[in-house]
Amino acid sequence: MKVHPHTRFTLPDELNAVEPPEARGLARDQVKLLVAEGSTVQHTRFDRIGEHLRPGDLLLVNTSGTLAAAVDGSWITGSGVAPVVVHFSTALDDGTWVIELRSGGSPMLGGATGDRVELPDGVLTLLAPYQEGSTRLWRAEPPAADVVEYLRKYGRAITYKYVDRQWPLALYQTVFANQPGSAEMPSAGRPFSFELVSQLAAAGVLIAPILLHCGVSSLESHEPPLPERYAVPEHTARLVNWVKANGGRVIAVGTTAVRAIETSALPSGAVLASSGWTDLVLGPDRPAAVVDGLITGMHAPEASHLLLLESVVGGAVVQQAYDAALRQHYLWHEFGDVCLMLR
């Protein structure tokens, strides 16, 4: 079921970030930062985020690494052979993968069970639609037993229409990444540099790991997020509970970190270690219970991520922040600018 966010805006094409900040002459931690808290909005730069954090605050960072999840292939159908790009989205427990077929920047919806895609050094076979009533995503038999290693050899980073060239996979990794598994970069963590992390730690800001492997975005149809694999370690759960009990703030770095920690929350707000699959969808009928704020990139109009932001800080704060970002020409998407939103 589609639930539309409260936040409404129109995104001009010129505000799509078409290249990494490094290609614009900036360090990764020099992108713009919008700080939204209550009725106030401030504009600064990401490397000054420490001015808006306190000793004892806890940042939850996603340690998932970005896969080279796009592979070129030839789609073999009853009517012939067509060039296609396979986006490898999610590894399932039985060794199959959720994939998406794309061509010319758009999803290919004409797949059928049994279709084969010839890939470098292997063949991918479509087994069944992943979602009932939709042929955008498929469960497929992958071309190799070790898909992560296969993608390292033959894949490239997933890109969408607003990015008009290929960039090295290293530009799609955060400094926290240590476990490959995301089809798309957990991009809220991208502006952190090693130097900035050191400064924050020296200032008494706590940092704890959390894991959520991101699948492919729902850029075309804005459906709710699909189930994703996550893990909240025992020491992270204990630290969250300690910080909450001692008056600190828990700030998630990215919507992925919000989804993971809120999945592990009891109704009381206490957090337990857990791992597996989360199908949690945060929104008006399921507000965030644990996090006091989040660091997040700029999301597309109507994206389900906006509902998650609203579940943390409320629709009015998100609308005010996005209106201000548009006026100040912030850049959108994974190579763009960033918000710190506080409850």
Side-chain angles (χ1 to χ4, degrees):
M1 184 182 75
K2 295 180 184 178
V3 181
H4 294 278
H6 170 275
T7 306
R8 291 279 186 270
F9 65 97
T10 301
L11 180 62
D13 284 346
E14 63 266 22
L15 296 187
N16 290 314
V18 300
E19 59 191 3
E22 291 89 334
R24 307 193 294 269
L26 301 175
R28 64 168 57 209
D29 60 8
Q30 291 179 334
V31 296
K32 291 180 183 177
L33 174 67
L34 183 152
V35 182
E37 184 172 12
S39 60
T40 66
V41 170
Q42 298 179 62
H43 301 284
T44 181
R45 205 169 69 172
F46 194 81
D47 57 4
R48 300 179 65 178
I49 193 171
E51 297 171 10
H52 302 275
L53 301 174
R54 308 170 189 153
D57 282 348
L58 172 63
L59 298 179
L60 296 176
V61 300
N62 189 356
T63 58
S64 180
T66 310
L67 299 170
V71 183
D72 293 318
S74 298
W75 182 15
I76 304 167
T77 68
S79 56
V81 179
V84 71
V85 180
V86 178
H87 285 182
F88 287 78
S89 176
T90 306
L92 299 176
D93 292 336
D94 62 0
T96 62
W97 275 68
V98 179
I99 64 96
E100 180 186 36
L101 302 178
R102 294 180 75 93
S103 178
S106 299
M108 304 294 285
L109 305 177
T113 298
D115 281 359
R116 299 164 74 241
V117 180
E118 290 187 349
L119 295 174
D121 199 23
V123 174
L124 177 137
T125 304
L126 302 188
L127 300 176
Y130 184 57
Q131 296 169 285
E132 190 175 341
S134 171
T135 55
R136 187 175 79 88
L137 299 175
W138 284 82
R139 189 170 64 84
E141 190 69 41
D146 187 341
V147 175
V148 171
E149 183 56 37
Y150 177 85
L151 295 176
R152 191 174 288 126
K153 191 172 182 180
Y154 296 113
R156 62 178 187 274
I158 287 176
T159 56
Y160 292 107
K161 292 177 183 176
Y162 51 85
V163 176
D164 56 7
R165 56 161 284 190
Q166 292 297 318
W167 297 96
L169 187 65
L171 292 174
Y172 289 87
Q173 305 293 359
T174 73
V175 297
F176 308 112
N178 63 16
Q179 189 169 334
S182 282
E184 297 180 15
M185 173 174 52
S187 55
R190 191 188 192 281
F192 284 92
S193 62
F194 290 113
E195 294 80 5
L196 179 56
V197 170
S198 298
Q199 290 170 19
L200 293 174
V205 175
L206 305 170
I207 298 173
I210 206 165
L211 179 74
L212 187 137
H213 290 319
C214 314
V216 294
S217 292
S218 303
L219 292 178
E220 287 79 20
S221 50
H222 310 304
E223 66 261 26
L226 294 167
E228 292 171 311
R229 195 186 299 275
Y230 82 101
V232 176
E234 176 67 40
H235 60 277
T236 294
R238 287 203 309 268
L239 191 54
V240 168
N241 293 332
W242 182 86
V243 166
K244 298 289 281 188
N246 286 277
R249 298 177 297 182
V250 175
I251 298 170
V253 179
T255 56
T256 58
V258 177
R259 194 182 198 195
I261 199 68
E262 295 290 339
T263 297
S264 293
L266 299 172
S268 65
V271 172
L272 299 177
S274 67
S275 63
W277 291 87
T278 176
D279 58 3
L280 177 64
V281 178
L282 292 161
D285 56 348
R286 173 55 169 90
V290 178
V291 298
D292 302 293
L294 77 163
I295 295 165
T296 178
M298 309 300 300
H299 300 290
E302 285 288 305
S304 61
H305 293 97
L306 294 170
L307 280 168
L308 186 148
L309 306 187
E310 293 171 8
S311 82
V312 176
V313 297
V317 172
V318 180
Q319 185 70 63
Q320 179 177 256
Y322 271 63
D323 290 345
L326 289 165
R327 286 194 301 270
Q328 296 294 323
H329 304 289
Y330 277 59
L331 295 179
W332 256 248
H333 305 304
E334 66 269 27
F335 291 141
D337 297 313
V338 188
C339 292
L340 167 61
M341 295 185 174
L342 297 167
R343 204 198 292 277

